[in-house]
Amino acid sequence: MAATLSDQIQHAIDTKTKPLGALGKIERLARQIAEWQRTLAPVLDQATLTIFAADHGIADEGVSAFPQAVTRQMVGNFLGGGAAASVFARLNGVALRVVDAGVAGEPIAHADLIRRAVAPGTRNFLHQPAMTGAEADQAFDAGVALARATPGQAQAFGEMGIANTAAASLLAHKLTGLPLATLVGRGTGLDDAGLARKLDVLTRAAARTDGPLPPALAMAEYGGFEIVMIAGAMSGAAQVGQLVLVDGFIATAAATLALARHPEIRPALVFCHCSAEAGHRALLAHLDADPVLDLDMRLGEGTGALLAWPILRAAVAMLTDMASFDQAGVSNRA
Amino acid sequence: MAATLSDQIQHAIDTKTKPLGALGKIERLARQIAEWQRTLAPVLDQATLTIFAADHGIADEGVSAFPQAVTRQMVGNFLGGGAAASVFARLNGVALRVVDAGVAGEPIAHADLIRRAVAPGTRNFLHQPAMTGAEADQAFDAGVALARATPGQAQAFGEMGIANTAAASLLAHKLTGLPLATLVGRGTGLDDAGLARKLDVLTRAAARTDGPLPPALAMAEYGGFEIVMIAGAMSGAAQVGQLVLVDGFIATAAATLALARHPEIRPALVFCHCSAEAGHRALLAHLDADPVLDLDMRLGEGTGALLAWPILRAAVAMLTDMASFDQAGVSNRA
């Protein structure tokens, strides 16, 4: 019986000039990427980071250390090249684009900004659903369409939205059943009192609806436009055979939503970074995800995915460029 | 009173457009590199990986899963471009060179190989000192001289030498007093019986000398030519103001030796990777080192340092290229 492609990939990895398994996560990444691309010679040389920005009605409840205007200001900073994501994308040769998924205030005037705003921010989900079902569908579908039209072998997705750790925590709670207290953290830097207030607000918001919710309902009740659009974009990228680079806590909440709707995309997802945001480790464990990096970062914007990109490329190069014991004339273990 | 450079560096990091501390390890690396280069505008665009190869008399005791001939064969593989280190160095723009520090057998004929062999392998330290004091000094000094003559802002050091985890474990034990059982691991892949034999051999070899040893004695009694030469090279690179990228377990044992002789080089050392080799975590903790990556690798060759290089460059780019809140017109926290 012929060996399966999966067996052939593992054999190729195992006969490279190194002790069995000695490249650890690099080997596991190479295997995942080769299996996803269905080839012994995977290619990973073009990636795009799309940053989705949106505002959140829940910011009215004082759940963030920063004012809402920062969402809009950071869109300018991404486009101007001064944000962390801008700097890391340039350094690592990843294309960067920015999408207005629903920033508060007047539409932002910038030639390079991609306009997909569903509304100027969500409603305050402490008192009412964050968006209508139609708005949620619009956001998800816009993400799918954008990602499907993007060239390359990999897509990363970042986010910007003051108060979006609040939305991400609650959405993840309603999708997974993990305790809210586990999923709620300091976001951009709340102090103890701010953290207690955030947990109180989210506990009351969660009580508006009963227990866990199906994904279509969860995303409308508690989502953010950028979070829902990222979930759509992850689904769309996987549908066209691309690798999905999952960033930090909020991107992982979006991935949880995407997986709830499209569980078949799981093999496309590479979890790039374990964030310092409190709930991330628990959410990653729930998804059985072993992140590539753990750099004690909690910024979002796709920064974790950008820093993991050279490591994913190294994994592919290991498989395609390293010599085997036979090729190099090196003795394998006795 | 004028702010110190250290204060100025921290202020520059703290006013970048991100929440305070949100880039975690990236911020700490940027601070270390800027302080080491004594500037607010550090540069990190040229690095060299030097792989030192040598053989070990202790290999006669069956402490490795691979035959000794592999050291020599892998030198050819590094120079031929097929080893993991060759592939990662090419991908990440790091220059690679290979030094014969003491490989067994006839001298290796290759135009690109740098010849610094002290002897064709160490003596078996189960029965006698691995090298004479003069040989140890020769190895250390050759490393210093090589590294001092190398251009760039950073140097990484890799190693190849069948049985060198045995030498590294024993050397680290004699330098630090950490228990041998903590420091001894499976190397390239010993099974349980092999691991027990290795620990027994090293326990007997350790008993040849009394307790902890001063560095000059420890390196002659239990060192390897590649390990001692790396310790010298680390010292030399730091002496000329370069950053020292410390790789895995064996490189960390070399760093322990370098630090015992030249404690003033500590600020130049970036610990790049926590190896899956059993003793590495304990040795890193002893040195109060917080490694950049943890990729479950245990290959050596400088692979961990090579994969950390793009992350170190990102840390520098954060400091030099990111906009401040003022520059970007972004509001800082309320």
Side-chain angles (χ1 to χ4, degrees), chain A residues 17 19-20 22 24-25 28 65-66 70 73 77 82 88 91 188-189 293 295-298 314 322-323 328 330-331 333-334, chain B residues 17 19-20 22 24-25 28 65-66 70 73 77 82 88 91 188-189 293 295-298 314 322-323 328 330-331 333-334:
Chain A
T17 43
L20 201 66
K25 265 186 203 176
R28 297 193 283 278
F66 281 79
V70 168
Q73 292 163 349
N77 199 23
F88 296 166
L91 186 71
T188 50
L293 298 173
L295 295 172
D296 192 28
M297 304 196 301
R298 48 180 169 81
M322 258 184 88
V330 172
S331 309
R333 54 188 295 161
Chain B
T17 44
L20 200 67
K25 267 187 202 175
R28 297 192 284 277
F66 281 79
V70 168
Q73 293 163 349
N77 199 22
F88 296 167
L91 186 71
T188 50
L293 298 173
L295 295 172
D296 193 28
M297 304 197 301
R298 48 181 170 81
M322 257 185 89
V330 172
S331 310
R333 54 187 298 161

Side-chain angles (χ1 to χ4, degrees), chain B residues 89-153:
Chain B
R90 252 190 332 264
L91 186 71
N92 287 342
V94 174
L96 184 155
R97 59 187 186 178
V98 186
V99 175
D100 179 355
V103 177
E106 290 299 299
I108 299 170
H110 195 295
D112 293 338
L113 181 65
I114 300 171
R115 297 161 195 289
R116 294 292 184 279
V118 177
T122 52
R123 296 175 194 88
N124 182 343
F125 59 58
L126 178 59
H127 305 300
Q128 60 193 306
M131 59 189 89
T132 65
E135 287 173 330
D137 288 342
Q138 182 186 338
F140 195 92
D141 294 347
V144 171
L146 254 171
R148 289 183 65 104
T150 304
Q153 305 89 23

Side-chain angles (χ1 to χ4, degrees), chain A residues 262-330:
Chain A
H262 297 287
E264 72 280 5
I265 70 169
R266 182 63 181 82
L269 270 51
V270 175
F271 292 86
C272 290
H273 184 247
C274 182
S275 168
E277 173 69 5
H280 200 203
R281 205 169 291 271
L283 193 53
L284 288 168
H286 181 85
L287 298 174
D288 196 22
D290 180 25
V292 179
L293 298 173
D294 186 351
L295 295 172
D296 192 28
M297 304 196 301
R298 48 180 169 81
L299 180 58
E301 303 182 1
T303 49
L306 289 168
L307 294 181
W309 174 243
I311 290 177
L312 305 187
R313 295 197 67 208
V316 165
M318 183 275 287
L319 187 54
T320 56
D321 296 1
M322 258 184 88
S324 68
F325 284 104
D326 281 352
Q327 287 167 336
V330 172

Side-chain angles (χ1 to χ4, degrees), chain A:
Chain A
M1 203 175 85
T4 64
L5 177 62
S6 182
D7 292 340
Q8 291 173 40
I9 292 166
Q10 193 60 50
H11 179 77
I13 293 171
D14 289 346
T15 53
K16 298 295 185 185
T17 43
K18 55 168 187 57
L20 201 66
L23 283 174
K25 265 186 203 176
I26 295 293
E27 299 189 21
R28 297 193 283 278
L29 287 168
R31 184 185 174 97
Q32 180 186 356
I33 297 166
E35 289 190 340
W36 179 247
Q37 293 191 2
R38 297 200 181 90
T39 175
L40 280 164
V43 174
L44 209 57
D45 58 20
Q46 189 184 4
T48 299
L49 167 67
T50 309
I51 300 179
F52 295 84
D55 277 305
H56 297 261
I58 197 66
D60 291 349
E61 305 299 328
V63 293
S64 173
F66 281 79
Q68 189 173 63
V70 168
T71 304
R72 184 183 193 86
Q73 292 163 349
M74 283 299 295
V75 166
N77 199 23
F78 295 132
L79 293 167
S86 321
V87 171
F88 296 166
R90 254 194 326 268
L91 186 71
N92 287 342
V94 173
L96 185 155
R97 58 186 186 179
V98 187
V99 175
D100 179 355
V103 178
E106 291 299 300
I108 299 170
H110 195 297
D112 293 338
L113 181 65
I114 300 171
R115 298 161 193 288
R116 294 292 185 278
V118 178
T122 52
R123 295 176 194 87
N124 182 343
F125 59 57
L126 178 58
H127 304 301
Q128 61 193 305
M131 59 189 89
T132 65
E135 287 173 330
D137 288 342
Q138 181 187 338
F140 195 92
D141 294 347
V144 171
L146 253 172
R148 290 182 65 104
T150 304
Q153 303 91 22
Q155 292 189 54
F157 304 103
E159 42 56 48
M160 178 69 220
I162 292 302
N164 67 3
T165 57
S169 298
L170 196 38
L171 179 61
H173 167 65
K174 287 290 176 177
L175 288 170
T176 66
L178 287 168
L180 205 46
T182 302
L183 292 168
V184 174
R186 295 175 191 274
T188 50
L190 290 173
D191 58 16
D192 288 348
L195 178 60
R197 184 172 56 241
K198 182 178 177 181
L199 181 56
D200 172 63
V201 166
L202 295 184
T203 302
R204 287 187 283 135
R208 265 204 315 107
T209 60
D210 268 347
L213 297 178
L217 204 51
M219 72 180 185
E221 286 286 348
Y222 300 114
F225 292 125
E226 84 282 42
I227 297 172
V228 175
M229 215 173 279
I230 288 174
M234 287 174 168
S235 309
Q239 284 162 13
V240 294
Q242 294 195 34
L243 206 64
V244 174
L245 277 49
V246 183
D247 190 46
F249 178 63
I250 292 148
T252 300
T256 307
L257 174 59
L259 287 166
R261 305 194 88 189
H262 297 287
E264 72 280 5
I265 70 169
R266 182 63 181 82
L269 270 51
V270 175
F271 292 86
C272 290
H273 184 247
C274 182
S275 168
E277 173 69 5
H280 200 203
R281 205 169 291 271
L283 193 53
L284 288 168
H286 181 85
L287 298 174
D288 196 22
D290 180 25
V292 179
L293 298 173
D294 186 351
L295 295 172
D296 192 28
M297 304 196 301
R298 48 180 169 81
L299 180 58
E301 303 182 1
T303 49
L306 289 168
L307 294 181
W309 174 243
I311 290 177
L312 305 187
R313 295 197 67 208
V316 165
M318 183 275 287
L319 187 54
T320 56
D321 296 1
M322 258 184 88
S324 68
F325 284 104
D326 281 352
Q327 287 167 336
V330 172
S331 309
N332 206 334
R333 54 188 295 161

